[in-house]
PDB file of all heavy atoms in Angstrom:
ATOM      1  N   SER U 450     117.407 110.353 117.556  1.00 95.00           N
ATOM      2  CA  SER U 450     117.924 109.869 118.846  1.00 95.00           C
ATOM      3  C   SER U 450     118.013 110.985 119.897  1.00 95.00           C
ATOM      4  O   SER U 450     118.032 110.709 121.089  1.00 95.00           O
ATOM      5  CB  SER U 450     119.281 109.201 118.663  1.00 95.00           C
ATOM      6  OG  SER U 450     120.154 110.079 118.007  1.00 95.00           O
ATOM      7  N   ARG U 451     118.036 112.228 119.440  1.00 93.00           N
ATOM      8  CA  ARG U 451     118.145 113.321 120.418  1.00 93.00           C
ATOM      9  C   ARG U 451     116.894 113.465 121.289  1.00 93.00           C
ATOM     10  O   ARG U 451     116.900 114.153 122.287  1.00 93.00           O
ATOM     11  CB  ARG U 451     118.447 114.640 119.708  1.00 93.00           C
ATOM     12  CG  ARG U 451     119.880 114.691 119.190  1.00 93.00           C
ATOM     13  CD  ARG U 451     120.100 115.869 118.289  1.00 93.00           C
ATOM     14  NE  ARG U 451     119.252 115.778 117.105  1.00 93.00           N
ATOM     15  CZ  ARG U 451     119.286 116.636 116.098  1.00 93.00           C
ATOM     16  NH1 ARG U 451     120.105 117.662 116.137  1.00 93.00           N
ATOM     17  NH2 ARG U 451     118.496 116.485 115.060  1.00 93.00           N
ATOM     18  N   GLN U 452     115.800 112.815 120.869  1.00 95.00           N
ATOM     19  CA  GLN U 452     114.580 112.912 121.679  1.00 95.00           C
ATOM     20  C   GLN U 452     114.444 111.736 122.654  1.00 95.00           C
ATOM     21  O   GLN U 452     113.380 111.531 123.237  1.00 95.00           O
ATOM     22  CB  GLN U 452     113.351 112.987 120.759  1.00 95.00           C
ATOM     23  CG  GLN U 452     113.343 114.263 119.924  1.00 95.00           C
ATOM     24  CD  GLN U 452     112.000 114.531 119.259  1.00 95.00           C
ATOM     25  OE1 GLN U 452     110.948 114.151 119.746  1.00 95.00           O
ATOM     26  NE2 GLN U 452     112.037 115.227 118.127  1.00 95.00           N
ATOM     27  N   HIS U 453     115.513 110.995 122.826  1.00 95.00           N
ATOM     28  CA  HIS U 453     115.416 109.772 123.634  1.00 95.00           C
ATOM     29  C   HIS U 453     114.962 110.044 125.071  1.00 95.00           C
ATOM     30  O   HIS U 453     114.068 109.383 125.589  1.00 95.00           O
ATOM     31  CB  HIS U 453     116.745 109.021 123.628  1.00 95.00           C
ATOM     32  CG  HIS U 453     116.630 107.664 124.259  1.00 95.00           C
ATOM     33  ND1 HIS U 453     115.892 106.658 123.690  1.00 95.00           N
ATOM     34  CD2 HIS U 453     117.122 107.164 125.415  1.00 95.00           C
ATOM     35  CE1 HIS U 453     115.939 105.589 124.457  1.00 95.00           C
ATOM     36  NE2 HIS U 453     116.671 105.866 125.513  1.00 95.00           N
ATOM     37  N   GLN U 454     115.603 111.020 125.690  1.00 92.00           N
ATOM     38  CA  GLN U 454     115.284 111.304 127.095  1.00 92.00           C
ATOM     39  C   GLN U 454     113.828 111.719 127.268  1.00 92.00           C
ATOM     40  O   GLN U 454     113.156 111.291 128.198  1.00 92.00           O
ATOM     41  CB  GLN U 454     116.181 112.426 127.583  1.00 92.00           C
ATOM     42  CG  GLN U 454     117.266 111.917 128.482  1.00 92.00           C
ATOM     43  CD  GLN U 454     117.795 113.018 129.363  1.00 92.00           C
ATOM     44  OE1 GLN U 454     117.759 114.201 128.987  1.00 92.00           O
ATOM     45  NE2 GLN U 454     118.294 112.653 130.506  1.00 92.00           N
ATOM     46  N   HIS U 455     113.393 112.535 126.328  1.00 95.00           N
ATOM     47  CA  HIS U 455     111.994 112.974 126.364  1.00 95.00           C
ATOM     48  C   HIS U 455     111.048 111.776 126.338  1.00 95.00           C
ATOM     49  O   HIS U 455     110.115 111.675 127.137  1.00 95.00           O
ATOM     50  CB  HIS U 455     111.714 113.917 125.178  1.00 95.00           C
ATOM     51  CG  HIS U 455     110.295 113.884 124.720  1.00 95.00           C
ATOM     52  ND1 HIS U 455     109.292 114.510 125.425  1.00 95.00           N
ATOM     53  CD2 HIS U 455     109.695 113.250 123.690  1.00 95.00           C
ATOM     54  CE1 HIS U 455     108.136 114.272 124.814  1.00 95.00           C
ATOM     55  NE2 HIS U 455     108.356 113.507 123.772  1.00 95.00           N
ATOM     56  N   LEU U 456     111.313 110.844 125.408  1.00 97.00           N
ATOM     57  CA  LEU U 456     110.439 109.677 125.270  1.00 97.00           C
ATOM     58  C   LEU U 456     110.493 108.795 126.510  1.00 97.00           C
ATOM     59  O   LEU U 456     109.460 108.336 127.006  1.00 97.00           O
ATOM     60  CB  LEU U 456     110.821 108.870 124.027  1.00 97.00           C
ATOM     61  CG  LEU U 456     110.562 109.582 122.700  1.00 97.00           C
ATOM     62  CD1 LEU U 456     111.225 108.837 121.546  1.00 97.00           C
ATOM     63  CD2 LEU U 456     109.062 109.723 122.434  1.00 97.00           C
ATOM     64  N   GLU U 457     111.700 108.566 127.010  1.00 95.00           N
ATOM     65  CA  GLU U 457     111.858 107.735 128.195  1.00 95.00           C
ATOM     66  C   GLU U 457     111.031 108.282 129.352  1.00 95.00           C
ATOM     67  O   GLU U 457     110.372 107.528 130.073  1.00 95.00           O
ATOM     68  CB  GLU U 457     113.331 107.679 128.609  1.00 95.00           C
ATOM     69  CG  GLU U 457     114.182 106.770 127.725  1.00 95.00           C
ATOM     70  CD  GLU U 457     113.781 105.312 127.876  1.00 95.00           C
ATOM     71  OE1 GLU U 457     113.714 104.840 129.018  1.00 95.00           O
ATOM     72  OE2 GLU U 457     113.537 104.655 126.838  1.00 95.00           O
ATOM     73  N   ALA U 458     111.068 109.593 129.506  1.00 95.00           N
ATOM     74  CA  ALA U 458     110.331 110.218 130.607  1.00 95.00           C
ATOM     75  C   ALA U 458     108.825 110.021 130.425  1.00 95.00           C
ATOM     76  O   ALA U 458     108.125 109.557 131.336  1.00 95.00           O
ATOM     77  CB  ALA U 458     110.671 111.700 130.691  1.00 95.00           C
ATOM     78  N   ALA U 459     108.344 110.317 129.226  1.00 97.00           N
ATOM     79  CA  ALA U 459     106.902 110.194 128.975  1.00 97.00           C
ATOM     80  C   ALA U 459     106.447 108.745 129.179  1.00 97.00           C
ATOM     81  O   ALA U 459     105.402 108.485 129.783  1.00 97.00           O
ATOM     82  CB  ALA U 459     106.580 110.663 127.555  1.00 97.00           C
ATOM     83  N   TRP U 460     107.245 107.803 128.702  1.00 97.00           N
ATOM     84  CA  TRP U 460     106.841 106.393 128.774  1.00 97.00           C
ATOM     85  C   TRP U 460     106.910 105.843 130.189  1.00 97.00           C
ATOM     86  O   TRP U 460     106.096 105.020 130.590  1.00 97.00           O
ATOM     87  CB  TRP U 460     107.705 105.540 127.846  1.00 97.00           C
ATOM     88  CG  TRP U 460     107.567 105.932 126.406  1.00 97.00           C
ATOM     89  CD1 TRP U 460     106.612 106.765 125.882  1.00 97.00           C
ATOM     90  CD2 TRP U 460     108.400 105.541 125.318  1.00 97.00           C
ATOM     91  NE1 TRP U 460     106.801 106.908 124.532  1.00 97.00           N
ATOM     92  CE2 TRP U 460     107.895 106.167 124.157  1.00 97.00           C
ATOM     93  CE3 TRP U 460     109.519 104.722 125.207  1.00 97.00           C
ATOM     94  CZ2 TRP U 460     108.473 105.994 122.901  1.00 97.00           C
ATOM     95  CZ3 TRP U 460     110.094 104.544 123.953  1.00 97.00           C
ATOM     96  CH2 TRP U 460     109.573 105.171 122.812  1.00 97.00           C
ATOM     97  N   LYS U 461     107.914 106.298 130.930  1.00 96.00           N
ATOM     98  CA  LYS U 461     108.040 105.854 132.320  1.00 96.00           C
ATOM     99  C   LYS U 461     106.778 106.279 133.089  1.00 96.00           C
ATOM    100  O   LYS U 461     106.200 105.494 133.854  1.00 96.00           O
ATOM    101  CB  LYS U 461     109.294 106.495 132.928  1.00 96.00           C
ATOM    102  CG  LYS U 461     109.650 105.995 134.291  1.00 96.00           C
ATOM    103  CD  LYS U 461     110.420 104.694 134.194  1.00 96.00           C
ATOM    104  CE  LYS U 461     110.064 103.822 135.399  1.00 96.00           C
ATOM    105  NZ  LYS U 461     110.397 102.434 135.229  1.00 96.00           N
ATOM    106  N   ILE U 462     106.387 107.507 132.868  1.00 97.00           N
ATOM    107  CA  ILE U 462     105.196 108.008 133.552  1.00 97.00           C
ATOM    108  C   ILE U 462     103.961 107.209 133.107  1.00 97.00           C
ATOM    109  O   ILE U 462     103.138 106.806 133.926  1.00 97.00           O
ATOM    110  CB  ILE U 462     105.017 109.524 133.293  1.00 97.00           C
ATOM    111  CG1 ILE U 462     106.211 110.290 133.895  1.00 97.00           C
ATOM    112  CG2 ILE U 462     103.693 110.038 133.861  1.00 97.00           C
ATOM    113  CD1 ILE U 462     106.292 111.757 133.513  1.00 97.00           C
ATOM    114  N   ALA U 463     103.887 106.934 131.820  1.00 98.00           N
ATOM    115  CA  ALA U 463     102.748 106.162 131.309  1.00 98.00           C
ATOM    116  C   ALA U 463     102.718 104.752 131.912  1.00 98.00           C
ATOM    117  O   ALA U 463     101.653 104.224 132.234  1.00 98.00           O
ATOM    118  CB  ALA U 463     102.797 106.090 129.788  1.00 98.00           C
ATOM    119  N   ARG U 464     103.881 104.139 132.097  1.00 97.00           N
ATOM    120  CA  ARG U 464     103.943 102.805 132.715  1.00 97.00           C
ATOM    121  C   ARG U 464     103.437 102.853 134.158  1.00 97.00           C
ATOM    122  O   ARG U 464     102.602 102.052 134.548  1.00 97.00           O
ATOM    123  CB  ARG U 464     105.382 102.289 132.775  1.00 97.00           C
ATOM    124  CG  ARG U 464     105.926 101.661 131.536  1.00 97.00           C
ATOM    125  CD  ARG U 464     105.694 100.150 131.432  1.00 97.00           C
ATOM    126  NE  ARG U 464     106.450  99.662 130.267  1.00 97.00           N
ATOM    127  CZ  ARG U 464     105.962  98.926 129.284  1.00 97.00           C
ATOM    128  NH1 ARG U 464     104.697  98.523 129.314  1.00 97.00           N
ATOM    129  NH2 ARG U 464     106.697  98.564 128.276  1.00 97.00           N
ATOM    130  N   ILE U 465     103.987 103.811 134.899  1.00 96.00           N
ATOM    131  CA  ILE U 465     103.610 103.906 136.306  1.00 96.00           C
ATOM    132  C   ILE U 465     102.115 104.156 136.455  1.00 96.00           C
ATOM    133  O   ILE U 465     101.451 103.599 137.320  1.00 96.00           O
ATOM    134  CB  ILE U 465     104.418 105.027 136.992  1.00 96.00           C
ATOM    135  CG1 ILE U 465     105.874 104.585 137.096  1.00 96.00           C
ATOM    136  CG2 ILE U 465     103.847 105.366 138.363  1.00 96.00           C
ATOM    137  CD1 ILE U 465     106.792 105.650 137.594  1.00 96.00           C
ATOM    138  N   ALA U 466     101.587 104.968 135.553  1.00 97.00           N
ATOM    139  CA  ALA U 466     100.162 105.297 135.633  1.00 97.00           C
ATOM    140  C   ALA U 466      99.276 104.159 135.146  1.00 97.00           C
ATOM    141  O   ALA U 466      98.057 104.216 135.259  1.00 97.00           O
ATOM    142  CB  ALA U 466      99.892 106.565 134.818  1.00 97.00           C
TER     143      ALA U 466
END
Side-chain angles (χ1 to χ4, degrees):
S450 54
R451 287 170 298 184
Q452 295 194 29
H453 189 67
Q454 255 202 332
H455 152 76
L456 293 168
E457 284 293 309
W460 298 348
K461 188 82 213 162
I462 297 170
R464 278 270 188 232
I465 290 173

